[in-house]
Amino acid sequence: GDAMQTARNQESFVKLSPFDEVMNIWVRWVNLKDFQHSDGDGNLQDTKDFMRAGEAVEAMINDLPRHQWWAIRKSKGISTVWIFPHLSLLDTLEQAEKILTPKMQNHIATRRYFY
């Protein structure tokens, strides 16, 4: 009812954490890569920065242990199933975020989102 709508409206004003902002860039990058096309509009430098950030995060995620790799993909809707029933998806995501955040803060393609 109304309470849900109010909660949803307030949610849309919550500022994303730098980590979530970078993860959203990665999700867009993955989706673009899947369709292999870019519309060609937009600033070329922005596009380059976007591609570099997407590639950097992809490499970071690929370095994670398999269950964390899977948790990230599941949380972003890229994978639909959770194949580790003995592990908590939320705990695994938290561990992955703890590993990825310092990497993102230090990487030239993603660190600007943290300042």
Side-chain angles (χ1 to χ4, degrees):
D2 288 342
M4 278 302 286
Q5 194 56 50
T6 305
R8 222 175 270 124
N9 289 345
Q10 286 169 338
E11 235 172 359
S12 60
F13 293 112
V14 173
K15 179 136 173 47
L16 284 180
S17 72
F19 175 81
D20 287 328
E21 212 174 322
V22 173
M23 289 308 300
N24 287 348
I25 289 169
W26 173 74
V27 170
R28 288 204 320 271
W29 178 84
V30 168
N31 290 333
L32 257 182
K33 205 178 62 156
D34 286 349
F35 295 112
Q36 287 301 322
H37 77 85
S38 80
D39 297 334
D41 41 69
N43 175 324
L44 199 59
Q45 187 57 46
D46 289 348
T47 306
K48 268 192 199 147
D49 290 347
F50 166 78
M51 294 306 287
R52 280 196 200 109
E55 287 162 11
V57 175
E58 175 80 352
M60 291 173 203
I61 290 169
N62 286 340
D63 279 346
L64 290 171
R66 207 74 192 141
H67 62 291
Q68 292 176 6
W69 179 93
W70 205 278
I72 292 277
R73 293 180 115 71
K74 169 85 177 109
S75 74
K76 297 298 178 187
I78 294 167
S79 301
T80 52
V81 291
W82 178 238
I83 60 168
F84 302 93
H86 59 293
L87 293 175
S88 154
L89 176 60
L90 283 176
D91 290 347
T92 305
L93 266 176
E94 244 174 64
Q95 295 158 6
E97 184 171 345
K98 279 188 185 124
I99 292 169
L100 291 172
T101 299
K103 290 183 179 195
M104 290 174 176
Q105 288 168 328
N106 293 323
H107 196 288
I108 191 163
T110 49
R111 65 183 175 208
R112 70 191 174 104
Y113 296 96
F114 289 84
Y115 300 104

